[in-house]
Amino acid sequence: MAKPSQAKSDIGLLSGNMGSIIFLYYYSRFIDSAGIENLAQNQLNLLLTQIDNGFNLPTYCSGIFGVAWGLSLLEEERFIDLSNNDFFKEFDNFYIETHQVYLDNQNFDFLHGYVGLGMYLIKRLENCKSIKSKEFYSQKLLEIILQLRASAIKQGKSYCWSANVVNEKEEYNVDLGLAHGMSSIINFLSRLFVFLAFREEVRPLLNGAISFVRSVSMNYTNQFSLFPKEVTTNPINENPPSRLAWCRGDLGIGLSLWHAGKILRDKSLSSQAVSILLHTSKRRNLNTNLVKDACLCHGSSGLMLIFNYLYKMTTVEEFKEAATFWFEKSMAMSNHPDSETGFLFLKYRNNKWEWKEETDILSGVSGVGLSLLSRLSSKPLKWSQSLMVS
């Protein structure tokens, strides 16, 4: 694999070097290699120096708070020692300085908005030992919950959120996907529901979001997907079918509903989620499902990762078969002799599609590598929490 510092300057958890570093740490443990572990540590030191030199993008996917989430994961998995209680203080101060603009702009996006920032807060609330710090993270998470409540579009008992500003005709689009839309909100709220302190505020939002998504499936018919890519209230626009991918479509919706059903102990919801996921497991045509490469975001390794996780959690044989199918497709895509790893990834640049070497989690070889390590592990690896999979 190309060294992260040589591959790109992006520090991101999902889009850059932090993700590559996480892969190197997990891989070093898998093959018991001190050399790979030292490489990971050296790359981490370079990344932290980059932050010290003034890198200041806050976001989860590509910025500071994704890195901070990754550091907390590495400590939790005992790859690194961050026993200094003040280590995350600078990240928390940076959160105070930067988070309000995301709330004010109602930018709830998982990868680039305040739901992503909330993932950092949850990870720290889970892992920190200081009562004062726990109070800080709880307070900031409550602010996000209240913002979600204030910005929700209410339709009876259903709640949805739109990235578009609702105009005077009350027309808007609602993204249903895991990367940017309703699935990520349901998934995020399910994670918050674990904490007793948030349940009173979270329950109506979670139930309302689930109600909205369920209503979409009842009113949508298409030969490929059970859900559209998005829902629009403009009658001129059609609700297009969705691809098979981590980022958008039925798979992320079913996965998030499954998590919600489990945490709410709702057997009806869990059953519906499994039904959705079984439907996705039978979708095998690469062209109609828009599977062009092995990337995690919208390629075969993301499908392998999710079906592998679902099989380990449910022991449903169809999920095992789907995981094996997408594993084999991923391996078949390592057929590029001009790549060090055999993998190239399709990218749209300069008004054309090109095959490129990429090293990050979402669209590169680190995502493929981590997905393969998850397949080889007897239990889900915690890194996949970064994508709301586990």
Side-chain angles (χ1 to χ4, degrees):
M1 192 181 92
K3 294 182 180 181
S5 62
Q6 295 173 341
K8 55 168 68 181
S9 59
D10 187 338
I11 71 168
L13 170 65
L14 301 181
S15 65
N17 293 344
M18 189 67 211
S20 301
I21 290 164
I22 289 172
F23 165 69
L24 289 173
Y25 271 115
Y26 274 106
Y27 183 57
S28 72
R29 180 172 289 173
F30 180 74
I31 65 171
D32 192 20
S33 169
I36 298 296
E37 183 180 9
N38 289 336
L39 175 61
Q41 185 60 57
N42 290 337
Q43 296 301 327
L44 181 57
N45 291 338
L46 289 173
L47 184 150
L48 294 175
T49 299
Q50 196 172 344
I51 294 176
D52 289 341
N53 289 340
F55 185 95
N56 62 359
L57 178 67
T59 65
Y60 179 77
C61 176
S62 306
I64 298 291
F65 293 112
V67 170
W69 188 98
L71 290 168
S72 194
L73 170 75
L74 293 176
E75 180 184 37
E76 181 181 355
E77 291 281 64
R78 298 185 179 181
F79 288 117
I80 60 176
D81 180 12
L82 299 176
S83 55
N84 182 352
N85 291 330
D86 294 328
F87 181 85
F88 286 95
K89 188 64 177 178
E90 290 189 33
F91 291 107
D92 297 341
N93 290 336
F94 187 64
Y95 184 89
I96 294 170
E97 295 172 7
T98 58
H99 78 286
Q100 194 61 46
V101 65
Y102 295 95
L103 297 178
D104 292 344
N105 292 338
Q106 299 185 21
N107 181 358
F108 59 81
D109 193 275
F110 168 40
L111 297 186
H112 311 297
Y114 65 70
V115 167
L117 304 190
M119 289 292 285
Y120 161 70
L121 298 173
I122 289 176
K123 178 59 74 175
R124 292 304 306 140
L125 182 58
E126 291 173 341
N127 289 350
C128 75
K129 298 178 181 179
S130 163
I131 294 177
K132 184 176 180 180
S133 294
K134 285 184 179 295
E135 290 174 348
F136 170 80
Y137 299 128
S138 295
Q139 176 192 351
K140 296 306 176 185
L141 282 166
L142 183 58
E143 289 178 3
I144 290 177
I145 295 167
L146 296 177
Q147 179 58 41
L148 281 171
R149 185 176 70 183
S151 60
I153 301 168
K154 301 176 180 64
Q155 302 175 348
K157 293 184 178 180
S158 295
Y159 289 2
C160 65
W161 289 264
S162 174
N164 300 344
V165 176
V166 178
N167 62 25
E168 61 274 11
K169 295 181 181 179
E170 296 188 348
E171 295 175 355
Y172 50 86
N173 296 338
V174 178
D175 190 307
L176 298 177
L178 188 53
H180 307 291
M182 289 292 296
S183 296
S184 63
I185 292 177
I186 290 172
N187 205 308
F188 176 66
L189 290 172
S190 298
R191 293 167 194 275
L192 288 173
F193 195 82
V194 172
F195 301 95
L196 291 175
F198 300 137
R199 285 192 179 178
E200 183 178 352
E201 299 289 348
V202 165
R203 190 186 297 273
L205 296 176
L206 180 55
N207 286 332
I210 292 167
S211 175
F212 177 85
V213 170
R214 280 176 140 176
S215 71
V216 171
S217 67
M218 289 188 296
N219 297 317
Y220 184 70
T221 55
N222 182 275
Q223 61 178 318
F224 298 118
S225 60
L226 299 176
F227 294 86
K229 171 185 173 183
E230 61 184 16
V231 176
T232 176
T233 59
N234 188 331
I236 297 176
N237 298 327
E238 295 183 0
N239 294 326
S242 56
R243 69 192 306 164
L244 187 65
W246 167 82
C247 57
R248 294 184 186 275
D250 295 0
L251 189 55
I253 294 169
L255 176 67
S256 295
L257 291 178
W258 183 83
H259 279 300
K262 184 178 179 182
I263 196 66
L264 292 171
R265 299 181 180 179
D266 184 331
K267 293 182 179 179
S268 172
L269 179 60
S270 296
S271 178
Q272 183 181 11
V274 170
S275 178
I276 294 166
L277 293 164
L278 284 171
H279 180 271
T280 67
S281 73
K282 295 175 174 63
R283 293 172 61 180
R284 304 286 178 88
N285 187 297
L286 274 68
N287 290 327
T288 58
N289 290 313
L290 302 178
V291 179
K292 304 296 185 182
D293 60 26
C295 80
L296 196 154
C297 179
H298 46 265
S300 59
S301 69
L303 306 178
M304 172 182 64
L305 172 70
I306 294 174
F307 285 121
N308 179 69
Y309 171 74
L310 289 169
Y311 173 67
K312 288 178 179 176
M313 299 304 293
T314 67
T315 68
V316 172
E317 281 296 317
E318 287 88 342
F319 297 149
K320 180 181 181 180
E321 293 171 6
T324 299
F325 176 85
W326 291 111
F327 162 72
E328 291 173 351
K329 292 301 178 184
S330 296
M331 292 300 93
M333 291 177 182
S334 61
N335 59 352
H336 297 273
D338 51 341
S339 166
E340 182 179 352
T341 63
F343 289 101
L344 291 177
F345 302 92
L346 202 57
K347 308 291 288 187
Y348 190 73
R349 292 173 180 167
N350 302 319
N351 297 316
K352 63 179 180 179
W353 290 99
E354 298 177 334
W355 290 99
K356 295 288 186 181
E357 287 197 83
E358 300 290 342
T359 59
D360 58 90
I361 284 181
L362 274 186
S363 60
V365 74
S366 292
V368 178
L370 283 165
S371 297
L372 290 170
L373 289 174
S374 288
R375 178 174 172 81
L376 294 169
S377 173
S378 61
K379 59 183 180 180
L381 299 180
K382 291 182 179 180
W383 75 269
S384 63
Q385 295 172 9
S386 67
L387 298 159
M388 295 187 172
V389 173
S390 61

